[in-house]
Amino acid sequence: MLRLDEVAATAPEREVATSSSGPINWTDAEQRWGNRSALEQALRHFLQSNQQAAEQLAVLLKEGQNAPAAALLHRLRGSAANLGLQRVERLVIELEQRLPHQAASSLIPAVQVLHDALQAALAALPTDGVAVNAPALTLTSAQRQQRSQWLSSLIAGLKRGEMNEQRLLQLEGLIAPERLDLVQQALNDFDFVLAVQQLEAELSAPPNED
């Protein structure tokens, strides 16, 4: 497996963050998401879930799997744009443009820069209040079973590119309102990947049983 640190020495000089070129465009992203808390939660989940994305991309490029590499880049670009990750988005667009015309091995240094940008964005997230969560829901055994079924059904549909608005409405009261808002906002932006990530996180953390 290709290790990114093996090519770090050949990577181009890193960008220097300034007030206009920081990893996160908070102003635009907060306007898109509606509130800072929802944005921070979505950013943290995306960045933590994609810590290995750059290494996965490097492996695909080394193996000449350009189509999967392009698909991964496309997913990263959509989420980065939605979340205000301006530096990540810019680097991904550059890689997408270069991929059809250059040898995959020549893109590895740029992938290292992308890796650094993802890490810088994660480091830029505020630490205050990270552990503060909404009170856990308390549901009956029947509600918990129904919730699990509906979440699984909605996730499976989204992964096929299908949106079941009625199923999402049925989850009201069965998942945390903050999570439901994040899912709805992601769907409004046609970011099915982020919506699935949020729903899977909810599914993995079942509420208390009454």
Side-chain angles (χ1 to χ4, degrees):
M1 176 177 291
L2 182 65
R3 292 169 54 87
L4 286 176
D5 53 10
E6 293 174 355
V7 296
T10 64
E13 184 177 352
R14 308 289 187 264
E15 295 176 272
V16 177
T18 67
S19 58
S20 61
S21 65
I24 303 171
N25 187 329
W26 289 105
T27 301
D28 288 352
E30 192 170 345
Q31 288 178 349
R32 188 177 304 115
W33 279 81
N35 67 82
R36 182 68 167 250
S37 177
L39 172 61
E40 287 181 10
Q41 184 178 351
L43 277 165
R44 193 175 308 280
H45 185 82
F46 170 78
L47 291 168
Q48 290 177 342
S49 300
N50 286 277
Q51 291 188 55
Q52 304 301 319
E55 184 169 349
Q56 293 168 3
L57 180 60
V59 170
L60 291 172
L61 292 173
K62 181 186 178 185
E63 296 177 349
Q65 299 187 50
N66 285 17
L72 176 56
L73 286 169
H74 179 76
R75 176 177 68 79
L76 291 174
R77 175 164 57 86
S79 295
N82 184 37
L83 293 167
L85 295 168
Q86 54 187 8
R87 189 181 301 171
V88 171
E89 181 185 11
R90 185 167 63 249
L91 292 168
V92 169
I93 289 175
E94 178 186 343
L95 280 163
E96 284 186 312
Q97 293 173 342
R98 293 173 59 187
L99 181 57
H101 309 291
Q102 298 184 18
S105 59
S106 69
L107 303 180
I108 300 300
V111 175
Q112 173 66 37
V113 179
L114 174 61
H115 169 79
D116 291 350
L118 287 165
Q119 295 302 310
L122 183 60
L125 293 179
T127 56
D128 294 340
V130 169
V132 177
N133 295 307
L137 292 173
T138 300
L139 305 177
T140 66
S141 177
Q143 286 177 320
R144 284 163 56 90
Q145 183 177 5
Q146 188 68 82
R147 169 187 177 276
S148 178
Q149 292 175 352
W150 285 347
L151 279 170
S152 298
S153 173
L154 189 56
I155 290 169
L158 289 172
K159 287 182 176 180
R160 296 192 300 268
E162 302 169 359
M163 172 55 203
N164 189 331
E165 185 70 30
Q166 182 62 32
R167 182 69 74 221
L168 185 62
L169 292 174
Q170 289 173 326
L171 286 170
E172 187 171 354
L174 298 179
I175 68 175
E178 295 82 1
R179 180 84 70 184
L180 192 60
D181 288 344
L182 287 172
V183 172
Q184 187 62 67
Q185 182 61 57
L187 293 174
N188 290 344
D189 293 331
F190 299 99
D191 190 346
F192 283 15
V193 172
L194 182 58
V196 167
Q197 289 174 346
Q198 290 294 329
L199 291 169
E200 288 179 336
E202 186 70 20
L203 185 61
S204 67
N208 298 326
E209 184 171 351
D210 189 358

